[in-house]
Amino acid sequence: MNAAAIAALSRAGVAVEVVAQTGSTNADLLARAGTLAAPLLLMAEHQSAGRGRAGRSWLSSPEGSLTFSLAWRFDGGPQALLGLPLAVGVALADTLGTLGQQVQLKWPNDVLKDGDKLAGILIETQAAPGGGTWTVIGIGLNLLMPDEMEAQLGRSAAGMPWLARMDRDALMAALLDGLADCLREFAMRGFAAFSARWNLRHAWQGETVVLLDGGVVRHEGRAAGVDDSGRLLLDTDEGRITVMAGDVSLRVKA
């Protein structure tokens, strides 16, 4: 990967850095957030301590995945960022769609292909000096999923072999452009600008699902998409409820 080539191929106007290896690109950018003056994309050829949602590890390989984080400053506080992980999912799905790869979305922050996880999104925030919020958007995208990696995961996962053959700098530039467009639109209009597109790609629309908190079932019902704040709509026996993203896991009922 070449930082200058990615920046030249992109129209986003975002600075790009590429490192051979690091622990976590999210952790690196969070540590630098207080000194950043503009958005920054940090890519790692290999992450040794990549993180997913709820403290889970994100396994990756230099040959088979893209791992990167984008630091972006928003004017408001964290409350203004409701629904941002879902909007980022829409941006990834739209960009992959333009590259001929159709995907689905799972609440609150996963991209699926043929029912298996293709990409994960982790968003962390930090107050910006002088006001506003630095948001670090970490993304892990599988391109190849060898059997040994699935064995480590203990479950099936998706890959995109066709994209693995694409020039990596051009692929990264396309993803950066889609993300930058998304974040600028989100800053102006919030998640309401993305909710209809998210619902069109909702992988589990109409499926019976359960919400787990610490392994305990908290709710069960039919998934009915999301509202304009990014809350999950769940049709239960007692009526429709809304669920905020938090320390809960969503599963299709067995």
Side-chain angles (χ1 to χ4, degrees), residues 21 29 52 60 71 73 83 92 97 144 163 172 230 244:
Q21 182 168 327
L29 285 183
S60 62
R73 183 186 173 279
L92 290 176
L144 299 174
L163 287 187
M172 191 62 248
M244 289 292 296

Side-chain angles (χ1 to χ4, degrees), residues 132-219:
T133 304
W134 273 108
T135 302
V136 178
I137 301 156
I139 294 171
L141 173 65
N142 299 329
L143 299 177
L144 299 174
M145 185 47 59
D147 293 342
E148 56 269 24
M149 183 72 76
E150 286 194 329
Q152 283 184 272
L153 288 170
R155 56 176 169 78
S156 61
M160 287 187 163
W162 185 87
L163 287 187
R165 297 193 293 269
M166 183 176 172
D167 178 82
R168 293 291 178 93
D169 295 335
L171 174 57
M172 191 62 248
L175 292 169
L176 175 57
D177 288 348
L179 288 170
D181 288 346
C182 159
L183 299 177
R184 289 174 178 130
E185 184 174 11
F186 187 92
M188 293 187 296
R189 303 175 59 198
F191 181 68
F194 299 86
S195 57
R197 280 182 282 166
W198 195 97
N199 284 323
L200 283 173
R201 295 185 183 273
H202 185 195
W204 291 351
Q205 184 73 17
E207 297 278 356
T208 300
V209 300
V210 293
L211 276 171
L212 302 174
D213 185 356
V216 178
V217 175
R218 296 302 184 190
H219 297 287

